[in-house]
Amino acid sequence: MINKDFSDYEKISVATDIVVLSNAIKPALRAKDSDTYVLRVLLIKRDIEPFKGKWSLPGGFMDADKTADEAVTNKLALKTGVENYYKEQLYTYTDMDRDPRGRVISIGYIALVDKEDIDISHGKNEAKWFDIAIHHDEKHNVENVDIVNEDGSKVELAFDHQRIITDAIKRLAGKILYTDIAFYMVPAEFKLGGLQNIYNSLLGYNFQAFRRFIADKVEETGHIETSTGHRPSKFYRKKKEERTDI
Amino acid sequence: MINKDFSDYEKISVATDIVVLSNAIKPALRAKDSDTYVLRVLLIKRDIEPFKGKWSLPGGFMDADKTADEAVTNKLALKTGVENYYKEQLYTYTDMDRDPRGRVISIGYIALVDKEDIDISHGKNEAKWFDIAIHHDEKHNVENVDIVNEDGSKVELAFDHQRIITDAIKRLAGKILYTDIAFYMVPAEFKLGGLQNIYNSLLGYNFQAFRRFIADKVEETGHIETSTGHRPSKFYRKKKEERTDI
DNA sequence: ATAATAGTGTCTCTAAGACATTATGCG
DNA sequence: CGCATAATGTCTTAGAGACACTATTAT
């Protein structure tokens, strides 16, 4: 091959796709019912071709004068003052046929938010939260996921967005045990049962020793649930990291 | 913002950068000497501006008719028939100023190979293996790395390649305990001490129970080291996965 | 009192740290 | 034999599975 110069290379369209996840707040700690979904993903209804009318991940083409991180932050319609959210680059998708309009590569991101912190009516397109059904194999590895409508039917997504969401769930399942990511999907004050639901549904099994595991990472807020018909739960918050290096 | 059309977006130059790693085969299992390096990275001497004369990661601009995986596979000068290598997408770098020629984003990859399997004289540019000094903090997290010359002096790399190598080492350190990646950096027949060196230098501490940990993943080859001046080591190979699902 | 979930306590199992002990070939 | 590293064995600790048990509120 002859030594090509910088300007001889074909430039490529670059997009971002953001898997925005939050907790669905379903109290089902010991539920055997696998149809009880715990995580939700934010999807946007496409109003132009291709895939017009289908649901898709938020994102879009990346301007050449922005970094991918900036593009993602700008796209997330976070309410003013929100600091407790989490953003992570996931994977860059470069399959030749992933966009019927032509060659487009896409940098996938994960964003974890408290659902209340996202302004869902911000964009020009219809936006909606969808339940995620996570399927594990017998070794508790995430195998695949389904995005489901309220009536339980599966949603068909635009582009390769089903795969991107699956990759996001795999990534999070792989790191939930040794990171604090779960705290980014719940409100500032939460019930341990609700937090455990996130661990359980990502891990694919019931985390037996959850309260022991989480005990030194949370503290009580003093608030308590009411009118439950059973023993009420205390509300907890994430404990501030203690400095251990003094 | 007005609804832009597909073709209205500025396209961007996309490159790949590959962190090719291998084992340096230094017998220093219990060495306290932190100057004994265990991992090596393959670097290419740049013969054009920018950064002419500096060492850089192999890679290059990505043709619009190839996936990133194809671009990386083509760039790796693997000798014919090599199957035992590992490739993984690392991260996509999009900082505005990472290339002085203009806007270039780069998809970083990790490749783990047995050094003998790479044809280092394949390309038109000078290529060389460099030792990596890995620095951990007190909690054994990878903090940063240095690329060092044979005389111990630090190598200054082109572009943001120092950061990319650091990210690669962090990624590998994070997953070495629950994956088989270490096997991809050693020859088909290896000594347990040599394999442990890879674990030790990525983890940042001496993996005390290493032989117990690795025992059921390896098997003896029957070959044995000679003329060592001390008890000779057996050679081992990676055990084929047993089917547990029959 | 009962239902139903919140929360605690205890026994066990497994992986790994710490470290002493034995094994082996070469000079 | 003694040196140096290979390889094994044992005691201990930390984290988590299993699961019984107690606590608390609404009806």
Side-chain angles (χ1 to χ4, degrees), chain A residues 19 24 55 58 73 116 191 205 245:
Chain A
V19 182
W55 292 93
T73 303
E116 305 307 314
K191 298 182 284 180
Y205 59 87
D245 59 340

Side-chain angles (χ1 to χ4, degrees), chain A residues 227-242:
Chain A
S227 48
T228 56
H230 52 77
R231 175 172 177 171
S233 180
K234 295 172 182 171
F235 282 99
Y236 295 80
R237 72 171 76 90
K238 182 173 185 295
K239 205 196 279 183
K240 295 254 182 293
E241 299 301 323
E242 291 130 31

Side-chain angles (χ1 to χ4, degrees), chain A residues 72-84:
Chain A
V72 168
T73 303
N74 291 347
K75 194 75 194 178
L76 286 174
L78 288 167
K79 290 182 176 153
T80 316
V82 172
E83 284 174 16
N84 188 52

